[in-house]
Amino acid sequence: MDIKKTPKKLNVKEKYRLMTRDLAWEPSYRDEKEIYPYVDYEGIKVHDWSKWEDPFRLTMDAYWKYQAEKERKYYAIIDAHAQNNGHLNVTDARYLTAIKLFLQGISPGEYSAHRGFARVGREFAGVGPQVACQMQSIDEIRHAQTQVHAMSNYNKFYNGFKDFATQRDRIWYTSVPRSFFDDAMSAGPFEFLIAIGFSFEYVLTNLLFVPFMSGAAYNGDMATCTFGFSAQSDEARHMTLGLECIKFMLEQDPDNIPIVQKWIDKWFWRGCRLLTLVAAMMDYMLPKRVMSWREAWNIYGVENGNALFRDLARYGIRPPMHWDDVEKSIDHTSHQIMLGLYQWKFGTAFHSWTPTDSDIEWLKEKYPTTFEKYYLPRWEYAIAQKEAGGEYNNFGLPKLCQTCQLPCLFTEPDDPTQLAHRETEYEGEKYHFCSDGCQHVFEQEPEKYIQAWLPMPALMQAPLKGDLAAWMEWVSLEPTAAGEYANSEDKANFEKWRKQVSTD
Amino acid sequence: MAVVAIGEYKFPSRDRVENYYGHQLLFASWDHHLLMAAPFMLFGAPDQKLGDIIEQQLKPLMQPDPDFDKIDWDAIEWTKSGELWTPDFNKTVKENGLVHKEQFRFKTPGLSTLVPPQGE
Amino acid sequence: MSKVFIILQANEETRSIVDAIEQDNPDAEVVHEPAMVKVQAEGHLVVRRETIEEEIGREFDMQELNINLITLSGNVDEDEDALTLTWNS
């Protein structure tokens, strides 16, 4: 008698081969160059696209299955959050500033990444990266959507959320992340992958998501914590793609090494400048803190970054240029950024505040060599103004960096008492930078950065011509969304509603 | 170095002086004074008196700093583009050699209320 | 030597997974943080399907890790039996 054998399930490697590489074909009536016109011009040489393999060996069928599961988990929590006044469970309404900044600055970046990966997935000539980029593109739009959706619950109750899309395009501080993604999206496909896939996802994304989302949980914000971890579960795959893509480029041809190194230098620096906003979020905007920016940098920047670059040394890749300047800045940047945001708070779609006594104690403990000496006197000045019934504001428009677009508020790497001033001339016009790193990036591609839309100089051009009231309207900034937290509607409402809930 | 591009890559600068209807940008920075977090952006016409820009735009912005009232304006050390420079407040922006997007810096030795001198 | 790590959301499912990782990597260090759990080790870490199935009491597909994964560090290799993380230095 014949024994019926159940057909053996395909193993993961076979399945990956069948459902990824075997979906490709050799073009017969069109030239490869016509189909993939943008794959050569950056100078990256690829001899064998089939050497690209996703280490997770994820195929589209499994992808949909697991993404659907993530969405189910996510929406269960979002529904519970909306049904149970979840917005009143956060530590206090100061916390909302962190997620407003996230919504205005980061979520649109997810959408840009979605568009970018859709494009490069089309432009690469190998099916392995095509499939991986397709998955990442779908992930990124999921992130943008789930983030907007999660935060829409807060928009029902608080100011500063409702017009994040306009503000993404127009308000001043959002031009920092926007220009970062625009820079990547206007680069070639390989540079895009090094910019977003490797430098941002692999080297820096942990610094953004892991402590921040853990912080959201710690501050009672289950909605943010959930979209954060749900998105981050995709990031592990993105990081792996980022690392694979760099190894692939380096293994394909030795001529690729200097090109890749140049991109690592550029995008590491640009990413670190972008993350100074996250540093301020972590050290100042979470009422209950999980770890300081310095601690997060030590774990996810230094320890993890060193491990990565020791691993890549075998290809002849060295750690990013200007790494030492970043290291020197870590104990300073969050204070410098937050003092800036505080003094320009009349022009931000989120609130800021002076640190409380317990905040000050925490900052002293976490930054023993810098906070008390260099930054506390300025905070004490602002606190004294408040106690005297006034408010410290700086109505001066700041000089912006031509590359990172942040105000030039960073100090010399070795002198925290002196702003760093860098300038250069290109075709008879002067350009200013916040640092050597940003000047270096500019000088590699001046033709690109001279086109930068810098919000402060733009304000003086037509049609606004320096009219601040017209600017407020143009950036969709209502006075209730801006200014000192202590006087805000958000604070008053949160406290009133919380009292109602707790006395019912 | 140049942009690696698929074709000719040549675009005008976004903040060229022609976009400012006969005016220009200037930047001013007070060394070792960080209460105002970044250099100030100023705006004026090349034939405007520099002194007017200092009085009308710069000084009101500097006022919050506790050192402001102690400044000896005759003892200030001025620089632009890294070179020592002696401004003439009665002359125009142009006569003072301040081109579009020029930054000038000034030092007020001995004043350090909110930012301690380094090394102390 | 460099540290590799894997960070998972802290929940019912991952409790068993973390127990399994600890069994297979006696030198690994487990760090609990708000809402997440980090497992790290010098140079090398392995997550085995069989040990997880033993702990969780059902069949487990390695790709299910995706759902609760927050982040990881190291070169990844995954097949139906195991996920390994390594640094080559």
Tab-separated table of all heavy atoms in Angstrom, chain A residues 302-327:
chain	number	residue	atom	x	y	z
A	302	VAL	N	27.484	55.591	20.071
A	302	VAL	CA	28.882	55.195	20.233
A	302	VAL	C	29.041	53.677	20.170
A	302	VAL	O	29.756	53.144	19.313
A	302	VAL	CB	29.446	55.729	21.573
A	302	VAL	CG1	30.894	55.299	21.744
A	302	VAL	CG2	29.327	57.244	21.624
A	303	GLU	N	28.332	52.982	21.051
A	303	GLU	CA	28.555	51.543	21.154
A	303	GLU	C	28.159	50.840	19.862
A	303	GLU	O	28.920	50.069	19.270
A	303	GLU	CB	27.760	50.999	22.342
A	303	GLU	CG	28.207	49.638	22.785
A	303	GLU	CD	27.390	49.140	23.985
A	303	GLU	OE1	27.223	49.910	24.961
A	303	GLU	OE2	26.918	48.008	23.930
A	304	ASN	N	26.958	51.146	19.405
A	304	ASN	CA	26.448	50.482	18.209
A	304	ASN	C	27.180	50.963	16.950
A	304	ASN	O	27.511	50.176	16.066
A	304	ASN	CB	24.953	50.798	18.109
A	304	ASN	CG	24.202	49.802	17.271
A	304	ASN	OD1	24.617	48.652	17.162
A	304	ASN	ND2	23.126	50.241	16.669
A	305	GLY	N	27.451	52.263	16.904
A	305	GLY	CA	28.154	52.826	15.746
A	305	GLY	C	29.570	52.280	15.637
A	305	GLY	O	30.041	51.932	14.551
A	306	ASN	N	30.255	52.184	16.770
A	306	ASN	CA	31.610	51.629	16.735
A	306	ASN	C	31.596	50.188	16.260
A	306	ASN	O	32.454	49.773	15.481
A	306	ASN	CB	32.260	51.707	18.119
A	306	ASN	CG	32.746	53.110	18.431
A	306	ASN	OD1	32.906	53.931	17.525
A	306	ASN	ND2	32.962	53.397	19.701
A	307	ALA	N	30.622	49.420	16.750
A	307	ALA	CA	30.531	48.023	16.331
A	307	ALA	C	30.353	47.951	14.819
A	307	ALA	O	31.022	47.177	14.124
A	307	ALA	CB	29.351	47.348	17.039
A	308	LEU	N	29.484	48.786	14.312
A	308	LEU	CA	29.209	48.789	12.877
A	308	LEU	C	30.464	49.152	12.073
A	308	LEU	O	30.804	48.480	11.096
A	308	LEU	CB	28.088	49.796	12.607
A	308	LEU	CG	27.826	50.142	11.150
A	308	LEU	CD1	27.257	48.927	10.426
A	308	LEU	CD2	26.853	51.311	11.059
A	309	PHE	N	31.140	50.214	12.480
A	309	PHE	CA	32.279	50.659	11.673
A	309	PHE	C	33.502	49.767	11.855
A	309	PHE	O	34.323	49.668	10.954
A	309	PHE	CB	32.567	52.148	11.910
A	309	PHE	CG	31.531	52.995	11.221
A	309	PHE	CD1	30.515	53.612	11.926
A	309	PHE	CD2	31.529	53.097	9.836
A	309	PHE	CE1	29.530	54.342	11.275
A	309	PHE	CE2	30.553	53.825	9.177
A	309	PHE	CZ	29.548	54.448	9.903
A	310	ARG	N	33.599	49.076	13.002
A	310	ARG	CA	34.648	48.052	13.110
A	310	ARG	C	34.368	46.937	12.112
A	310	ARG	O	35.268	46.399	11.479
A	310	ARG	CB	34.693	47.486	14.531
A	310	ARG	CG	35.530	48.315	15.495
A	310	ARG	CD	35.913	47.513	16.738
A	310	ARG	NE	34.745	47.163	17.539
A	310	ARG	CZ	34.299	47.924	18.549
A	310	ARG	NH1	34.921	49.040	18.865
A	310	ARG	NH2	33.247	47.553	19.249
A	311	ASP	N	33.082	46.601	11.965
A	311	ASP	CA	32.685	45.542	11.033
A	311	ASP	C	32.958	45.959	9.582
A	311	ASP	O	33.404	45.158	8.764
A	311	ASP	CB	31.194	45.241	11.227
A	311	ASP	CG	30.744	44.002	10.473
A	311	ASP	OD1	30.868	42.907	11.039
A	311	ASP	OD2	30.285	44.135	9.319
A	312	LEU	N	32.703	47.219	9.267
A	312	LEU	CA	32.869	47.675	7.881
A	312	LEU	C	34.327	47.984	7.533
A	312	LEU	O	34.652	48.198	6.363
A	312	LEU	CB	32.014	48.928	7.635
A	312	LEU	CG	30.495	48.708	7.644
A	312	LEU	CD1	29.771	50.029	7.462
A	312	LEU	CD2	30.069	47.723	6.556
A	313	ALA	N	35.193	48.010	8.556
A	313	ALA	CA	36.607	48.343	8.305
A	313	ALA	C	37.231	47.350	7.318
A	313	ALA	O	38.128	47.705	6.565
A	313	ALA	CB	37.383	48.358	9.618
A	314	ARG	N	36.719	46.115	7.310
A	314	ARG	CA	37.308	45.113	6.405
A	314	ARG	C	37.127	45.494	4.942
A	314	ARG	O	37.811	44.985	4.063
A	314	ARG	CB	36.725	43.726	6.685
A	314	ARG	CG	35.258	43.572	6.349
A	314	ARG	CD	34.665	42.344	7.034
A	314	ARG	NE	33.296	42.605	7.449
A	314	ARG	CZ	32.243	41.992	6.918
A	314	ARG	NH1	32.385	41.099	5.975
A	314	ARG	NH2	31.031	42.292	7.350
A	315	TYR	N	36.179	46.394	4.652
A	315	TYR	CA	35.999	46.852	3.267
A	315	TYR	C	36.822	48.097	2.975
A	315	TYR	O	36.800	48.610	1.852
A	315	TYR	CB	34.537	47.198	2.999
A	315	TYR	CG	33.581	46.039	3.130
A	315	TYR	CD1	32.704	45.966	4.201
A	315	TYR	CD2	33.557	45.038	2.160
A	315	TYR	CE1	31.821	44.911	4.317
A	315	TYR	CE2	32.670	43.977	2.275
A	315	TYR	CZ	31.810	43.919	3.358
A	315	TYR	OH	30.928	42.883	3.471
A	316	GLY	N	37.487	48.627	4.001
A	316	GLY	CA	38.216	49.879	3.798
A	316	GLY	C	37.373	51.108	4.098
A	316	GLY	O	37.714	52.217	3.702
A	317	ILE	N	36.268	50.905	4.803
A	317	ILE	CA	35.422	52.029	5.208
A	317	ILE	C	35.859	52.497	6.600
A	317	ILE	O	36.087	51.682	7.480
A	317	ILE	CB	33.931	51.603	5.217
A	317	ILE	CG1	33.422	51.400	3.790
A	317	ILE	CG2	33.058	52.598	5.973
A	317	ILE	CD1	33.276	52.664	2.963
A	318	ARG	N	36.013	53.813	6.751
A	318	ARG	CA	36.375	54.366	8.067
A	318	ARG	C	35.150	55.045	8.675
A	318	ARG	O	34.182	55.340	7.972
A	318	ARG	CB	37.543	55.347	7.941
A	318	ARG	CG	37.292	56.430	6.914
A	318	ARG	CD	38.096	57.670	7.076
A	318	ARG	NE	37.845	58.571	5.958
A	318	ARG	CZ	36.725	59.275	5.782
A	318	ARG	NH1	35.735	59.204	6.646
A	318	ARG	NH2	36.578	60.061	4.716
A	319	PRO	N	35.177	55.288	9.995
A	319	PRO	CA	34.044	55.986	10.618
A	319	PRO	C	33.818	57.346	9.946
A	319	PRO	O	34.735	57.913	9.362
A	319	PRO	CB	34.482	56.170	12.068
A	319	PRO	CG	35.507	55.118	12.293
A	319	PRO	CD	36.205	54.917	10.981
A	320	PRO	N	32.601	57.870	10.017
A	320	PRO	CA	32.280	59.108	9.308
A	320	PRO	C	33.171	60.276	9.723
A	320	PRO	O	33.521	60.411	10.890
A	320	PRO	CB	30.837	59.387	9.720
A	320	PRO	CG	30.315	58.130	10.283
A	320	PRO	CD	31.461	57.327	10.761
A	321	MET	N	33.506	61.103	8.745
A	321	MET	CA	34.203	62.354	8.999
A	321	MET	C	33.350	63.176	9.978
A	321	MET	O	32.134	63.072	9.960
A	321	MET	CB	34.281	63.091	7.655
A	321	MET	CG	35.243	64.231	7.567
A	321	MET	SD	34.949	65.101	6.000
A	321	MET	CE	36.089	64.273	4.941
A	322	HIS	N	33.964	63.962	10.807
A	322	HIS	CA	33.265	64.827	11.769
A	322	HIS	C	32.593	64.072	12.920
A	322	HIS	O	31.824	64.636	13.669
A	322	HIS	CB	32.220	65.728	11.078
A	322	HIS	CG	32.819	66.616	10.036
A	322	HIS	ND1	32.529	66.488	8.698
A	322	HIS	CD2	33.719	67.615	10.134
A	322	HIS	CE1	33.216	67.387	8.020
A	322	HIS	NE2	33.951	68.075	8.853
A	323	TRP	N	32.903	62.776	13.041
A	323	TRP	CA	32.372	62.009	14.172
A	323	TRP	C	32.786	62.673	15.490
A	323	TRP	O	31.997	62.781	16.426
A	323	TRP	CB	32.890	60.564	14.103
A	323	TRP	CG	32.465	59.713	15.251
A	323	TRP	CD1	32.966	59.729	16.527
A	323	TRP	CD2	31.428	58.717	15.248
A	323	TRP	NE1	32.311	58.814	17.309
A	323	TRP	CE2	31.371	58.176	16.554
A	323	TRP	CE3	30.555	58.227	14.268
A	323	TRP	CZ2	30.465	57.169	16.899
A	323	TRP	CZ3	29.659	57.213	14.631
A	323	TRP	CH2	29.617	56.702	15.929
A	324	ASP	N	34.052	63.127	15.564
A	324	ASP	CA	34.548	63.721	16.809
A	324	ASP	C	33.795	65.001	17.167
A	324	ASP	O	33.557	65.281	18.342
A	324	ASP	CB	36.046	64.041	16.702
A	324	ASP	CG	36.872	62.760	16.604
A	324	ASP	OD1	36.328	61.680	16.926
A	324	ASP	OD2	38.045	62.840	16.194
A	325	ASP	N	33.424	65.774	16.137
A	325	ASP	CA	32.660	66.992	16.418
A	325	ASP	C	31.286	66.643	16.993
A	325	ASP	O	30.771	67.355	17.862
A	325	ASP	CB	32.471	67.830	15.137
A	325	ASP	CG	33.766	68.549	14.747
A	325	ASP	OD1	34.733	68.524	15.549
A	325	ASP	OD2	33.813	69.123	13.644
A	326	VAL	N	30.704	65.572	16.492
A	326	VAL	CA	29.405	65.144	17.025
A	326	VAL	C	29.574	64.751	18.484
A	326	VAL	O	28.827	65.201	19.362
A	326	VAL	CB	28.818	63.965	16.218
A	326	VAL	CG1	27.550	63.442	16.876
A	326	VAL	CG2	28.523	64.390	14.786
A	327	GLU	N	30.570	63.938	18.745
A	327	GLU	CA	30.808	63.484	20.110
A	327	GLU	C	30.960	64.696	21.052
A	327	GLU	O	30.381	64.738	22.129
A	327	GLU	CB	32.050	62.584	20.130
A	327	GLU	CG	32.532	62.157	21.505
A	327	GLU	CD	31.465	61.476	22.349
A	327	GLU	OE1	30.712	60.650	21.796
A	327	GLU	OE2	31.385	61.787	23.566
